[in-house]
Amino acid sequence: MVVLWNHSIRKSIGVVVPRVSGWGFRHIVLGFGVCPITSDPMIVKITIVSMEMRNSIGVHWAVEVYTLSTGCWRIPTSKLPDKPVTVRWNPVVIDKFIYWFAFHGIEEFVKYGVDANKLILSFDMTTQEFTLIDLPNCFAHQSSIEFSISKLKGSLVLLEYSTNNEKQDCVIWVMNNGVPNLFSKLFAINAPYASIKILGFMKNGGPMMETQDEFGEPAAFVFYDLCSKDFNHTAIYAKGGSFFVDSYMETLLLLDYPDSSVFSITS
């Protein structure tokens, strides 16, 4: 079950996600966005089913799209990329695109893990077409370094994490004018923490992040000041990996729909 919740009018709708039948390992990732042309909310479901075969891994990649206007799941008629990819959670929505950070293939990811070749997968909500965005070689083939994507002032940014003397740093790169394979360095964060994770960005461009001094200790919610380079603590602590930040836009979507009988949020 996926629940679409309009925070502005406090109304929610439950959407049943189809099950995947059959044998093999199943990797399912969802994405959500609102088409800027039709104002139609949609959920994108990517399913990768892999089965070990003789000396190889058989892969089946399937996509289903749910639109609120139709109330049903459909298979896009557009052609899928030739090669399946291993897609990560936490998609980023910018204008008409949903972006996921991904790795080339299944077999390569199973063999090399995060050292597998990296790329970005995009979904155009207006045409329902997928595109594979190759990263520059310095990113795509970089090993032992963690990457993720985020949104900064309407632009897609690539977050490059590395560890130096048991302290973690992060370099923020922005995709230039939406041109694939072209990224510029915005700034770097040299953090005095064993682990940092950028959760999002404020209007002034400063990152909001989760930090940890040592693994096992509570994580802290911290604001980073771009001018002073100070880490400003909020006195909010929680289990590592439990912080989440996202943006929303005030809208009347769901106003004409009844509240879900399965799930309702009242506070």
mmCIF file of all heavy atoms in Angstrom, residues 198-243:
data_model
loop_
_atom_site.group_PDB
_atom_site.id
_atom_site.type_symbol
_atom_site.label_atom_id
_atom_site.label_comp_id
_atom_site.label_asym_id
_atom_site.label_seq_id
_atom_site.Cartn_x
_atom_site.Cartn_y
_atom_site.Cartn_z
ATOM 1 N N ILE A 198 23.742 14.210 3.753
ATOM 2 C CA ILE A 198 22.968 15.400 3.401
ATOM 3 C C ILE A 198 21.522 14.984 3.123
ATOM 4 O O ILE A 198 21.255 14.108 2.305
ATOM 5 C CB ILE A 198 23.579 16.112 2.193
ATOM 6 C CG1 ILE A 198 24.945 16.708 2.578
ATOM 7 C CG2 ILE A 198 22.652 17.208 1.673
ATOM 8 C CD1 ILE A 198 25.631 17.458 1.464
ATOM 9 N N LEU A 199 20.597 15.617 3.832
ATOM 10 C CA LEU A 199 19.175 15.295 3.726
ATOM 11 C C LEU A 199 18.442 16.198 2.741
ATOM 12 O O LEU A 199 17.413 15.825 2.193
ATOM 13 C CB LEU A 199 18.515 15.404 5.100
ATOM 14 C CG LEU A 199 19.158 14.581 6.220
ATOM 15 C CD1 LEU A 199 18.555 14.960 7.562
ATOM 16 C CD2 LEU A 199 18.970 13.093 5.955
ATOM 17 N N GLY A 200 18.966 17.407 2.535
ATOM 18 C CA GLY A 200 18.335 18.377 1.658
ATOM 19 C C GLY A 200 19.021 19.719 1.807
ATOM 20 O O GLY A 200 20.028 19.850 2.524
ATOM 21 N N PHE A 201 18.471 20.741 1.157
ATOM 22 C CA PHE A 201 19.090 22.060 1.172
ATOM 23 C C PHE A 201 18.053 23.124 1.526
ATOM 24 O O PHE A 201 16.886 23.035 1.149
ATOM 25 C CB PHE A 201 19.698 22.379 -0.195
ATOM 26 C CG PHE A 201 20.848 21.479 -0.564
ATOM 27 C CD1 PHE A 201 20.619 20.261 -1.186
ATOM 28 C CD2 PHE A 201 22.156 21.842 -0.283
ATOM 29 C CE1 PHE A 201 21.660 19.425 -1.543
ATOM 30 C CE2 PHE A 201 23.207 21.013 -0.624
ATOM 31 C CZ PHE A 201 22.965 19.802 -1.254
ATOM 32 N N MET A 202 18.502 24.143 2.247
ATOM 33 C CA MET A 202 17.650 25.271 2.587
ATOM 34 C C MET A 202 17.571 26.239 1.412
ATOM 35 O O MET A 202 18.269 26.079 0.404
ATOM 36 C CB MET A 202 18.213 25.980 3.832
ATOM 37 C CG MET A 202 18.229 25.102 5.081
ATOM 38 S SD MET A 202 18.999 25.910 6.507
ATOM 39 C CE MET A 202 20.736 25.845 6.039
ATOM 40 N N LYS A 203 16.737 27.261 1.523
ATOM 41 C CA LYS A 203 16.566 28.215 0.434
ATOM 42 C C LYS A 203 17.861 28.956 0.106
ATOM 43 O O LYS A 203 18.084 29.356 -1.030
ATOM 44 C CB LYS A 203 15.472 29.220 0.796
ATOM 45 C CG LYS A 203 14.067 28.625 0.787
ATOM 46 C CD LYS A 203 13.023 29.683 1.064
ATOM 47 C CE LYS A 203 11.614 29.097 1.012
ATOM 48 N NZ LYS A 203 10.573 30.123 1.285
ATOM 49 N N ASN A 204 18.726 29.145 1.124
ATOM 50 C CA ASN A 204 19.994 29.838 0.883
ATOM 51 C C ASN A 204 21.075 28.901 0.338
ATOM 52 O O ASN A 204 22.212 29.323 0.136
ATOM 53 C CB ASN A 204 20.479 30.530 2.153
ATOM 54 C CG ASN A 204 20.795 29.544 3.277
ATOM 55 O OD1 ASN A 204 20.731 28.323 3.097
ATOM 56 N ND2 ASN A 204 21.123 30.065 4.450
ATOM 57 N N GLY A 205 20.725 27.644 0.109
ATOM 58 C CA GLY A 205 21.678 26.691 -0.444
ATOM 59 C C GLY A 205 22.442 25.905 0.592
ATOM 60 O O GLY A 205 23.199 24.997 0.243
ATOM 61 N N GLY A 206 22.280 26.236 1.867
ATOM 62 C CA GLY A 206 22.984 25.509 2.917
ATOM 63 C C GLY A 206 22.382 24.130 3.140
ATOM 64 O O GLY A 206 21.152 23.979 3.138
ATOM 65 N N PRO A 207 23.220 23.118 3.338
ATOM 66 C CA PRO A 207 22.713 21.760 3.502
ATOM 67 C C PRO A 207 22.161 21.507 4.909
ATOM 68 O O PRO A 207 22.644 22.067 5.895
ATOM 69 C CB PRO A 207 23.939 20.874 3.251
ATOM 70 C CG PRO A 207 25.047 21.775 2.885
ATOM 71 C CD PRO A 207 24.675 23.162 3.258
ATOM 72 N N MET A 208 21.156 20.672 4.966
ATOM 73 C CA MET A 208 20.677 20.069 6.205
ATOM 74 C C MET A 208 21.194 18.641 6.215
ATOM 75 O O MET A 208 21.103 17.942 5.204
ATOM 76 C CB MET A 208 19.150 20.085 6.265
ATOM 77 C CG MET A 208 18.538 21.473 6.238
ATOM 78 S SD MET A 208 16.727 21.421 6.058
ATOM 79 C CE MET A 208 16.593 21.070 4.302
ATOM 80 N N MET A 209 21.741 18.200 7.315
ATOM 81 C CA MET A 209 22.384 16.891 7.303
ATOM 82 C C MET A 209 22.208 16.134 8.606
ATOM 83 O O MET A 209 21.902 16.697 9.663
ATOM 84 C CB MET A 209 23.876 17.041 6.990
ATOM 85 C CG MET A 209 24.669 17.839 8.008
ATOM 86 S SD MET A 209 26.413 18.014 7.539
ATOM 87 C CE MET A 209 26.262 19.076 6.116
ATOM 88 N N GLU A 210 22.395 14.841 8.483
ATOM 89 C CA GLU A 210 22.459 13.944 9.632
ATOM 90 C C GLU A 210 23.927 13.648 9.895
ATOM 91 O O GLU A 210 24.666 13.279 8.981
ATOM 92 C CB GLU A 210 21.704 12.645 9.327
ATOM 93 C CG GLU A 210 21.848 11.572 10.393
ATOM 94 C CD GLU A 210 21.231 10.253 9.966
ATOM 95 O OE1 GLU A 210 20.052 10.249 9.562
ATOM 96 O OE2 GLU A 210 21.936 9.219 10.038
ATOM 97 N N THR A 211 24.367 13.820 11.142
ATOM 98 C CA THR A 211 25.777 13.584 11.486
ATOM 99 C C THR A 211 25.872 12.592 12.634
ATOM 100 O O THR A 211 24.967 12.487 13.468
ATOM 101 C CB THR A 211 26.474 14.895 11.898
ATOM 102 O OG1 THR A 211 25.923 15.359 13.145
ATOM 103 C CG2 THR A 211 26.295 15.971 10.840
ATOM 104 N N GLN A 212 26.988 11.865 12.666
ATOM 105 C CA GLN A 212 27.271 10.914 13.745
ATOM 106 C C GLN A 212 28.757 10.969 14.079
ATOM 107 O O GLN A 212 29.598 10.948 13.182
ATOM 108 C CB GLN A 212 26.879 9.490 13.339
ATOM 109 C CG GLN A 212 25.612 8.996 13.992
ATOM 110 C CD GLN A 212 25.305 7.557 13.641
ATOM 111 O OE1 GLN A 212 25.384 7.148 12.483
ATOM 112 N NE2 GLN A 212 24.929 6.779 14.631
ATOM 113 N N ASP A 213 29.057 11.054 15.380
ATOM 114 C CA ASP A 213 30.453 11.040 15.811
ATOM 115 C C ASP A 213 31.022 9.632 15.720
ATOM 116 O O ASP A 213 32.124 9.415 15.243
ATOM 117 C CB ASP A 213 30.582 11.588 17.225
ATOM 118 C CG ASP A 213 30.327 13.089 17.281
ATOM 119 O OD1 ASP A 213 30.711 13.773 16.330
ATOM 120 O OD2 ASP A 213 29.748 13.553 18.262
ATOM 121 N N GLU A 214 30.273 8.668 16.225
ATOM 122 C CA GLU A 214 30.665 7.270 16.154
ATOM 123 C C GLU A 214 29.426 6.441 15.871
ATOM 124 O O GLU A 214 28.331 6.772 16.318
ATOM 125 C CB GLU A 214 31.316 6.807 17.463
ATOM 126 C CG GLU A 214 32.644 7.485 17.780
ATOM 127 C CD GLU A 214 33.243 6.959 19.077
ATOM 128 O OE1 GLU A 214 32.707 5.980 19.611
ATOM 129 O OE2 GLU A 214 34.238 7.539 19.534
ATOM 130 N N PHE A 215 29.620 5.356 15.137
ATOM 131 C CA PHE A 215 28.485 4.503 14.828
ATOM 132 C C PHE A 215 27.971 3.854 16.104
ATOM 133 O O PHE A 215 28.735 3.413 16.955
ATOM 134 C CB PHE A 215 28.886 3.441 13.804
ATOM 135 C CG PHE A 215 29.199 4.017 12.451
ATOM 136 C CD1 PHE A 215 30.510 4.145 12.018
ATOM 137 C CD2 PHE A 215 28.181 4.460 11.630
ATOM 138 C CE1 PHE A 215 30.790 4.676 10.771
ATOM 139 C CE2 PHE A 215 28.444 5.001 10.378
ATOM 140 C CZ PHE A 215 29.760 5.109 9.952
ATOM 141 N N GLY A 216 26.677 3.824 16.232
ATOM 142 C CA GLY A 216 26.068 3.296 17.451
ATOM 143 C C GLY A 216 25.561 4.393 18.353
ATOM 144 O O GLY A 216 24.649 4.176 19.159
ATOM 145 N N GLU A 217 26.145 5.595 18.238
ATOM 146 C CA GLU A 217 25.675 6.730 19.016
ATOM 147 C C GLU A 217 24.506 7.401 18.300
ATOM 148 O O GLU A 217 24.341 7.256 17.089
ATOM 149 C CB GLU A 217 26.809 7.737 19.227
ATOM 150 C CG GLU A 217 27.944 7.221 20.101
ATOM 151 C CD GLU A 217 28.965 8.302 20.385
ATOM 152 O OE1 GLU A 217 28.815 9.407 19.827
ATOM 153 O OE2 GLU A 217 29.906 8.038 21.143
ATOM 154 N N PRO A 218 23.682 8.164 19.027
ATOM 155 C CA PRO A 218 22.574 8.869 18.362
ATOM 156 C C PRO A 218 23.093 9.833 17.297
ATOM 157 O O PRO A 218 24.139 10.470 17.457
ATOM 158 C CB PRO A 218 21.891 9.614 19.512
ATOM 159 C CG PRO A 218 22.271 8.855 20.740
ATOM 160 C CD PRO A 218 23.650 8.329 20.484
ATOM 161 N N ALA A 219 22.358 9.927 16.203
ATOM 162 C CA ALA A 219 22.705 10.865 15.139
ATOM 163 C C ALA A 219 22.071 12.223 15.439
ATOM 164 O O ALA A 219 21.064 12.315 16.147
ATOM 165 C CB ALA A 219 22.216 10.336 13.795
ATOM 166 N N ALA A 220 22.671 13.295 14.902
ATOM 167 C CA ALA A 220 22.196 14.658 15.159
ATOM 168 C C ALA A 220 21.728 15.299 13.856
ATOM 169 O O ALA A 220 22.267 15.042 12.774
ATOM 170 C CB ALA A 220 23.300 15.497 15.779
ATOM 171 N N PHE A 221 20.713 16.164 13.984
ATOM 172 C CA PHE A 221 20.217 16.944 12.852
ATOM 173 C C PHE A 221 20.926 18.288 12.878
ATOM 174 O O PHE A 221 20.831 19.044 13.849
ATOM 175 C CB PHE A 221 18.702 17.125 12.947
ATOM 176 C CG PHE A 221 18.098 17.812 11.758
ATOM 177 C CD1 PHE A 221 18.132 17.211 10.510
ATOM 178 C CD2 PHE A 221 17.498 19.049 11.879
ATOM 179 C CE1 PHE A 221 17.563 17.830 9.397
ATOM 180 C CE2 PHE A 221 16.928 19.683 10.774
ATOM 181 C CZ PHE A 221 16.967 19.070 9.534
ATOM 182 N N VAL A 222 21.678 18.604 11.794
ATOM 183 C CA VAL A 222 22.598 19.740 11.796
ATOM 184 C C VAL A 222 22.390 20.594 10.550
ATOM 185 O O VAL A 222 22.132 20.074 9.454
ATOM 186 C CB VAL A 222 24.065 19.239 11.853
ATOM 187 C CG1 VAL A 222 25.043 20.389 11.716
ATOM 188 C CG2 VAL A 222 24.315 18.481 13.155
ATOM 189 N N PHE A 223 22.496 21.917 10.715
ATOM 190 C CA PHE A 223 22.504 22.860 9.594
ATOM 191 C C PHE A 223 23.941 23.297 9.338
ATOM 192 O O PHE A 223 24.691 23.571 10.278
ATOM 193 C CB PHE A 223 21.647 24.085 9.902
ATOM 194 C CG PHE A 223 20.186 23.809 10.040
ATOM 195 C CD1 PHE A 223 19.603 23.659 11.283
ATOM 196 C CD2 PHE A 223 19.377 23.690 8.917
ATOM 197 C CE1 PHE A 223 18.253 23.403 11.415
ATOM 198 C CE2 PHE A 223 18.026 23.440 9.033
ATOM 199 C CZ PHE A 223 17.462 23.290 10.293
ATOM 200 N N TYR A 224 24.316 23.390 8.059
ATOM 201 C CA TYR A 224 25.661 23.831 7.702
ATOM 202 C C TYR A 224 25.585 25.232 7.114
ATOM 203 O O TYR A 224 24.837 25.482 6.165
ATOM 204 C CB TYR A 224 26.286 22.864 6.690
ATOM 205 C CG TYR A 224 27.677 23.246 6.261
ATOM 206 C CD1 TYR A 224 28.769 23.079 7.109
ATOM 207 C CD2 TYR A 224 27.911 23.775 4.984
ATOM 208 C CE1 TYR A 224 30.057 23.418 6.703
ATOM 209 C CE2 TYR A 224 29.194 24.115 4.569
ATOM 210 C CZ TYR A 224 30.256 23.938 5.433
ATOM 211 O OH TYR A 224 31.523 24.277 5.034
ATOM 212 N N ASP A 225 26.357 26.157 7.679
ATOM 213 C CA ASP A 225 26.387 27.544 7.229
ATOM 214 C C ASP A 225 27.461 27.699 6.152
ATOM 215 O O ASP A 225 28.654 27.490 6.419
ATOM 216 C CB ASP A 225 26.671 28.479 8.402
ATOM 217 C CG ASP A 225 26.459 29.946 8.041
ATOM 218 O OD1 ASP A 225 27.110 30.410 7.084
ATOM 219 O OD2 ASP A 225 25.680 30.620 8.725
ATOM 220 N N LEU A 226 27.054 28.049 4.936
ATOM 221 C CA LEU A 226 28.007 28.155 3.827
ATOM 222 C C LEU A 226 29.022 29.268 4.030
ATOM 223 O O LEU A 226 30.167 29.166 3.584
ATOM 224 C CB LEU A 226 27.256 28.385 2.509
ATOM 225 C CG LEU A 226 26.430 27.220 1.973
ATOM 226 C CD1 LEU A 226 25.665 27.649 0.724
ATOM 227 C CD2 LEU A 226 27.312 26.029 1.661
ATOM 228 N N CYS A 227 28.628 30.357 4.696
ATOM 229 C CA CYS A 227 29.532 31.500 4.872
ATOM 230 C C CYS A 227 30.551 31.240 5.975
ATOM 231 O O CYS A 227 31.757 31.362 5.756
ATOM 232 C CB CYS A 227 28.733 32.764 5.175
ATOM 233 S SG CYS A 227 27.625 33.270 3.828
ATOM 234 N N SER A 228 30.068 30.869 7.147
ATOM 235 C CA SER A 228 30.970 30.666 8.284
ATOM 236 C C SER A 228 31.560 29.263 8.335
ATOM 237 O O SER A 228 32.509 29.006 9.058
ATOM 238 C CB SER A 228 30.224 30.934 9.590
ATOM 239 O OG SER A 228 29.183 29.991 9.777
ATOM 240 N N LYS A 229 30.963 28.337 7.560
ATOM 241 C CA LYS A 229 31.346 26.919 7.557
ATOM 242 C C LYS A 229 31.170 26.285 8.925
ATOM 243 O O LYS A 229 31.871 25.333 9.286
ATOM 244 C CB LYS A 229 32.789 26.755 7.059
ATOM 245 C CG LYS A 229 32.997 27.229 5.629
ATOM 246 C CD LYS A 229 34.401 26.957 5.128
ATOM 247 C CE LYS A 229 34.562 27.427 3.684
ATOM 248 N NZ LYS A 229 35.930 27.162 3.163
ATOM 249 N N ASP A 230 30.198 26.804 9.676
ATOM 250 C CA ASP A 230 29.879 26.249 10.992
ATOM 251 C C ASP A 230 28.817 25.175 10.859
ATOM 252 O O ASP A 230 27.941 25.235 9.987
ATOM 253 C CB ASP A 230 29.370 27.345 11.934
ATOM 254 C CG ASP A 230 30.466 28.330 12.325
ATOM 255 O OD1 ASP A 230 31.650 27.920 12.321
ATOM 256 O OD2 ASP A 230 30.135 29.493 12.616
ATOM 257 N N PHE A 231 28.866 24.208 11.777
ATOM 258 C CA PHE A 231 27.856 23.167 11.874
ATOM 259 C C PHE A 231 26.956 23.512 13.061
ATOM 260 O O PHE A 231 27.383 23.449 14.217
ATOM 261 C CB PHE A 231 28.508 21.798 12.081
ATOM 262 C CG PHE A 231 29.351 21.352 10.913
ATOM 263 C CD1 PHE A 231 30.680 21.750 10.812
ATOM 264 C CD2 PHE A 231 28.831 20.547 9.912
ATOM 265 C CE1 PHE A 231 31.472 21.350 9.748
ATOM 266 C CE2 PHE A 231 29.601 20.145 8.840
ATOM 267 C CZ PHE A 231 30.924 20.551 8.760
ATOM 268 N N ASN A 232 25.738 23.921 12.768
ATOM 269 C CA ASN A 232 24.826 24.390 13.799
ATOM 270 C C ASN A 232 23.861 23.277 14.198
ATOM 271 O O ASN A 232 23.004 22.865 13.422
ATOM 272 C CB ASN A 232 24.032 25.596 13.293
ATOM 273 C CG ASN A 232 24.949 26.741 12.887
ATOM 274 O OD1 ASN A 232 25.887 27.080 13.600
ATOM 275 N ND2 ASN A 232 24.696 27.335 11.723
ATOM 276 N N HIS A 233 24.008 22.808 15.430
ATOM 277 C CA HIS A 233 23.185 21.709 15.924
ATOM 278 C C HIS A 233 21.795 22.210 16.301
ATOM 279 O O HIS A 233 21.627 23.341 16.764
ATOM 280 C CB HIS A 233 23.853 21.032 17.123
ATOM 281 C CG HIS A 233 25.018 20.177 16.736
ATOM 282 N ND1 HIS A 233 24.981 18.793 16.777
ATOM 283 C CD2 HIS A 233 26.255 20.502 16.281
ATOM 284 C CE1 HIS A 233 26.139 18.313 16.375
ATOM 285 N NE2 HIS A 233 26.931 19.332 16.066
ATOM 286 N N THR A 234 20.801 21.352 16.130
ATOM 287 C CA THR A 234 19.414 21.700 16.430
ATOM 288 C C THR A 234 18.920 21.072 17.724
ATOM 289 O O THR A 234 17.779 21.280 18.103
ATOM 290 C CB THR A 234 18.493 21.225 15.302
ATOM 291 O OG1 THR A 234 18.565 19.788 15.218
ATOM 292 C CG2 THR A 234 18.889 21.832 13.972
ATOM 293 N N ALA A 235 19.758 20.294 18.384
ATOM 294 C CA ALA A 235 19.362 19.555 19.594
ATOM 295 C C ALA A 235 18.302 18.496 19.284
ATOM 296 O O ALA A 235 17.530 18.101 20.155
ATOM 297 C CB ALA A 235 18.878 20.496 20.688
ATOM 298 N N ILE A 236 18.262 18.060 18.023
ATOM 299 C CA ILE A 236 17.371 16.962 17.628
ATOM 300 C C ILE A 236 18.243 15.740 17.363
ATOM 301 O O ILE A 236 19.139 15.785 16.512
ATOM 302 C CB ILE A 236 16.560 17.319 16.376
ATOM 303 C CG1 ILE A 236 15.701 18.561 16.627
ATOM 304 C CG2 ILE A 236 15.683 16.147 15.942
ATOM 305 C CD1 ILE A 236 14.954 19.046 15.400
ATOM 306 N N TYR A 237 17.993 14.666 18.097
ATOM 307 C CA TYR A 237 18.795 13.454 17.970
ATOM 308 C C TYR A 237 17.876 12.261 17.723
ATOM 309 O O TYR A 237 16.731 12.231 18.183
ATOM 310 C CB TYR A 237 19.623 13.222 19.236
ATOM 311 C CG TYR A 237 20.626 14.325 19.513
ATOM 312 C CD1 TYR A 237 20.270 15.433 20.280
ATOM 313 C CD2 TYR A 237 21.915 14.259 18.994
ATOM 314 C CE1 TYR A 237 21.180 16.451 20.522
ATOM 315 C CE2 TYR A 237 22.832 15.276 19.235
ATOM 316 C CZ TYR A 237 22.465 16.369 19.994
ATOM 317 O OH TYR A 237 23.357 17.374 20.228
ATOM 318 N N ALA A 238 18.385 11.281 16.998
ATOM 319 C CA ALA A 238 17.600 10.085 16.695
ATOM 320 C C ALA A 238 18.556 8.974 16.260
ATOM 321 O O ALA A 238 19.773 9.177 16.156
ATOM 322 C CB ALA A 238 16.574 10.364 15.606
ATOM 323 N N LYS A 239 17.988 7.827 16.007
ATOM 324 C CA LYS A 239 18.780 6.700 15.531
ATOM 325 C C LYS A 239 19.348 7.019 14.154
ATOM 326 O O LYS A 239 18.682 7.623 13.312
ATOM 327 C CB LYS A 239 17.900 5.445 15.469
ATOM 328 C CG LYS A 239 18.644 4.193 15.012
ATOM 329 C CD LYS A 239 17.696 2.993 14.982
ATOM 330 C CE LYS A 239 18.439 1.755 14.498
ATOM 331 N NZ LYS A 239 17.530 0.566 14.448
ATOM 332 N N GLY A 240 20.582 6.638 13.929
ATOM 333 C CA GLY A 240 21.220 6.886 12.641
ATOM 334 C C GLY A 240 20.432 6.278 11.495
ATOM 335 O O GLY A 240 19.990 5.132 11.559
ATOM 336 N N GLY A 241 20.225 7.072 10.434
ATOM 337 C CA GLY A 241 19.486 6.610 9.280
ATOM 338 C C GLY A 241 17.996 6.859 9.349
ATOM 339 O O GLY A 241 17.257 6.508 8.419
ATOM 340 N N SER A 242 17.534 7.461 10.437
ATOM 341 C CA SER A 242 16.088 7.669 10.601
ATOM 342 C C SER A 242 15.627 9.070 10.198
ATOM 343 O O SER A 242 14.427 9.326 10.108
ATOM 344 C CB SER A 242 15.674 7.410 12.056
ATOM 345 O OG SER A 242 16.313 8.326 12.937
ATOM 346 N N PHE A 243 16.560 9.999 9.941
ATOM 347 C CA PHE A 243 16.166 11.354 9.540
ATOM 348 C C PHE A 243 15.743 11.373 8.073
ATOM 349 O O PHE A 243 16.331 10.694 7.229
ATOM 350 C CB PHE A 243 17.322 12.340 9.729
ATOM 351 C CG PHE A 243 17.587 12.697 11.166
ATOM 352 C CD1 PHE A 243 18.666 12.170 11.841
ATOM 353 C CD2 PHE A 243 16.748 13.576 11.840
ATOM 354 C CE1 PHE A 243 18.919 12.504 13.158
ATOM 355 C CE2 PHE A 243 16.994 13.919 13.162
ATOM 356 C CZ PHE A 243 18.074 13.385 13.827
#
